[in-house]
Amino acid sequence: MPSYEEELPQEQDYLKRVTDLARARLAAQQNVAATEKRKLMELNRQMYENTVHFSHDFDKLTEANQELGDIQTRTIHYQMMMKKLALYERMIQAPYFARIDFTEDGFEREPIYIGTGNLTDEDGLDAYVYDWRAPVASLFYRCEPGRVSYTSPSGEISGEMELKRQYEIKSGRLEYFFDSSVNIMDDVLRSVLSKNASPKMKSIVETIQREQDVIIRDLDSDLLMVQGAAGSGKTSVALHRVAFLMYQGVTGGLSANNIIILSPNALFGRYISGVLPELGEENIATKTFEEIFEDYFEGGIQLSTRNNVLERLCADGEDGRRDLLRDTVEFQLSETFCEIIERYAQLYERSLLEMPDVFYGGICIATRQALRAELLQSRINMPLAKRLRVIEEHLMERIHKEKKARLKELEQFVLEHPEHQFEVKAQARLLSIKEITSLAHKVRSFTRLNIMGIYRKLVGDHDLFRRAAGDLPLPPNLDEILDFIASGLKRNSAGYADGMALLYLRLILMGGKPSDEIKQVVIDEAQDYSPVHFRLLQRMMPAARYTVLGDVNQTIAHEADMTLYDRIRIILGKQKSTLAVMNKSFRCSAEITAFSRRFLDRELKQESFDRHGEEPRVRTAPDAKELDTLLIEDVRSCQQQEFGSLAILCKSFEAARELYRRLIEQPGLAELRLVGEQTGEIGRGLYVMPIYMAKGLEFDCAFVYGVDEAHYHTEDDRKLLYVACTRPLHRLYLYAEGEASHLLR
Ligand SMILES: Nc1ncnc2c1ncn2[C@@H]1O[C@H](COP(=O)(O)OP(=O)(O)OP(=O)(O)O)[C@@H](O)[C@H]1O
């Protein structure tokens, strides 16, 4: 076998060829792109001038419309050019990170260099670098040298893998390379994981693990679910999978507007926003359910956020009130509540929707019976709101038909009553307009649905609620729950759980907005969603495929176990569903993972990647002042050790704010920042925040404050501690005033 020194010149030579080629490509593409840009700008200018000039000429406007189509096509083409330019720029810096030598049965040995994009020669026949998403690259992630096979679009391909090599290339220079075995791969991963946390999530393309790769490349499942321990790479896998599905775009797969990523809050959305661009893909906007609500209600109802509910559930307060809020929210987001809303919607249509006789000029143009008959005869699978619109149109047509005759009557009326302002015809027309306007208003009072009003009627009338529920199981404290909901409803604003129920009611009564273009829905932190969320998605995007990732041990203020995944499968109703499990945590050191294990459901195993650090420490003090002193000491010590991101985690925002006020006074802690609902982004530095806002994020060091028995003693608290203790990569400290909670034992 040739030695490192013998191989080095060949490798350097290959790198030079590849970077030279990337440079040449970049230069050529830059010229083409510059010409294309000029053309596009010229077309845009012409289009603008023509549209202004011909704004009254229909033919010219049609022509302009066609031009607009051309511009859009050229813009897409231009964007693809820009993507290529970015790829060549990346390749000049580091064109590949791995190589495998593969001899396909019946062919010659071929070195396959793997990077974040494809690079071929001019005619596209010889590949210099393969994209990590190409089928052959899966050998690098899944196999050891020896007899191997991979799945390509044309079927299973077998052969011999002779070499598996990794490279460190910086600024176009080969720093070193090594031939990898399992142990060496682990060393590389250990070195990657030992680094400090970064403010934005990073790509893991060079160290994707076998079980992660299987999930990333799955093309068979309509519903792919992943239960993964904290820090096992769920979010990373989700984003690499999105990049993979977009790569399939070349062969008829997905573009950015075919994918939606649901994120628990805006802060998390921003944290993950760097990964796809780093992989050379367009970023995909993440959405929260609060934003989806806003898309439908368009500012008509102000919705309070889920974080707001979590705060009320986690903050200090009267236990009874908190329990009632928890019961209420749990019930509102449940399957039963959805079922009740569905039954209520039917009841509303059949017997609660009141339609009066409609009179015009003293004549009945439609009786209530006729209107009801028309409603029932209309297409039953059309949402009620649409059928009512048809009725409204019919009524207005009838009114317009009678208008002339009615005008004659009104002229006669005006003649008989001489005390009017204008001449007879004008006065009659004025009366006619007023009459029709008021009638249209009356018609709309029953053809236009007021979702908030309909919902308020349901939750405000206990008998009606029970009637709608029929034989469904109801909570024992239903009356209390309904009073609690009704008292919280305002005219133009709603709590988060009300909002989800309102959205569900709206989709049933008014139908969804067409969103056939969404083909893949990615849901991270799935354990935070309830049946209503999955039912909403099912109604909004029935044809989409789903990737759902969660950890039932990380629920906050509600219960979840492995049956969560069965329920998701049933609600989404997908034929081909798969549940994968990822147990190994890559985020925390082995000591932190071992410590966090005490908060886990025993049935779910959790392993740690073999990376070691200091043991977590539980610190206690008799009063808050002394406890603060210990905390400050630890924070300073971590800062001196050059840890860049530090988070002090409290049970609620209220507790975080109180601690913030005390600490900000301390010398040397001026950079401390309080993270709340309004915080857009967090970078390196020292933060204090509620645990529920730290979900999905990671820090070098975490300081979990206030873990005394009084604050942490329930099952919910146990899960909250699990979330908090699995945030740090390197250091974990916990602080209790008096005795620490028994949950820490
Ligand atoms: N194969 C890998 N190679 C390198 N780093 C990895 C790998 N898998 C995961 N990581 C790292 O582990 C950390 C945790 O990953 P990630 O946030 O995706 O986990 P998670 O399961 O979503 O966590 P949580 O349950 O807390 O939401 C990140 O820093 C990520 O970069």
Side-chain angles (χ1 to χ4, degrees), residues 189 192-193 197-198 201-210 212 228-239 268 271-272 524-525 527 549-551 554 582 584-588 694-698 722-723 726-727 729:
L189 184 53
V192 169
L193 297 174
S198 59
M201 185 167 233
K202 290 185 310 239
S203 117
I204 58 164
V205 70
E206 295 174 30
T207 47
I208 291 171
Q209 302 294 289
R210 189 182 189 286
Q212 294 177 329
S232 57
K234 295 181 291 296
T235 311
S236 311
V237 164
L239 295 169
F268 182 75
Y271 168 64
I272 64 173
D524 200 2
E525 306 282 345
Q527 74 284 353
L549 309 100
D551 180 7
Q554 293 189 64
M582 298 198 303
K584 197 182 261 183
S585 171
F586 295 100
R587 175 183 297 131
C588 311
K695 282 200 82 180
L697 308 183
E698 63 187 27
Y722 179 67
V723 173
T726 50
R727 294 313 95 199
L729 276 66

Side-chain angles (χ1 to χ4, degrees), residues 226-455:
V226 181
Q227 156 61 34
S232 57
K234 295 181 291 296
T235 311
S236 311
V237 164
L239 295 169
H240 287 72
R241 174 163 169 74
V242 166
F244 174 76
L245 294 172
M246 289 169 93
Y247 177 76
Q248 301 295 305
V250 185
T251 48
L254 310 183
S255 63
N257 53 357
N258 294 143
I259 305 173
I260 177 171
I261 302 179
L262 288 169
S263 90
N265 56 53
L267 193 61
F268 182 75
R270 251 163 252 129
Y271 168 64
I272 64 173
S273 64
V275 178
L276 286 167
E278 205 184 315
L279 293 171
E281 289 299 345
E282 208 179 314
N283 198 15
I284 292 180
T286 57
K287 272 222 170 204
T288 61
F289 265 96
E290 286 91 334
E291 285 165 339
I292 294 179
F293 179 91
E294 176 62 24
D295 288 348
Y296 277 85
F297 286 90
E298 293 171 343
I301 299 173
Q302 290 300 318
L303 181 71
S304 78
T305 58
R306 182 165 180 275
N307 277 347
N308 193 292
V309 180
L310 294 177
E311 175 63 20
R312 287 165 67 200
L313 288 171
C314 293
D316 280 343
E318 195 204 314
D319 280 353
R321 194 98 190 130
R322 203 176 26 230
D323 290 346
L324 180 58
L325 173 65
R326 192 185 192 281
D327 288 351
T328 305
V329 170
E330 188 89 28
F331 181 50
Q332 282 180 295
L333 301 177
S334 70
E335 285 264 43
T336 309
F337 206 80
C338 293
E339 231 11 87
I340 293 171
I341 288 182
E342 285 192 14
R343 291 179 183 195
Y344 171 58
Q346 283 180 13
L347 189 66
Y348 183 81
E349 178 180 331
R350 277 202 310 266
S351 52
L352 302 175
L353 172 68
E354 284 170 13
M355 292 199 284
D357 298 331
V358 181
F359 287 90
Y360 180 47
I363 300 163
C364 180
I365 54 164
T367 64
R368 65 189 70 190
Q369 291 84 353
L371 289 175
R372 183 151 290 285
E374 186 176 349
L375 183 71
L376 296 179
Q377 276 157 19
S378 55
R379 282 170 48 199
I380 211 75
N381 53 359
M382 212 192 240
L384 177 64
K386 293 202 175 129
R387 285 182 284 144
L388 285 169
R389 272 303 175 94
V390 175
I391 290 183
E392 179 183 314
E393 276 162 26
H394 288 170
L395 280 173
M396 295 316 289
E397 273 166 21
R398 262 176 261 170
I399 290 165
H400 281 284
K401 255 193 219 149
E402 302 295 330
K403 207 165 86 179
K404 253 195 191 152
R406 177 65 185 150
L407 202 56
K408 285 262 167 314
E409 280 175 19
L410 288 173
E411 281 172 14
Q412 193 55 39
F413 173 84
V414 175
L415 273 175
E416 286 164 15
H417 297 80
E419 62 290 358
H420 44 83
Q421 247 180 311
F422 307 109
E423 56 99 7
V424 177
K425 278 197 185 290
Q427 184 68 29
R429 261 202 309 277
L430 188 67
L431 285 178
S432 167
I433 291 170
K434 276 191 178 163
E435 204 175 53
I436 291 178
T437 310
S438 130
L439 188 54
H441 194 72
K442 195 173 166 199
V443 168
R444 281 194 209 117
S445 72
F446 65 87
T447 56
R448 304 283 170 102
L449 299 175
N450 171 356
I451 298 293
M452 180 60 115
I454 298 171
Y455 178 66

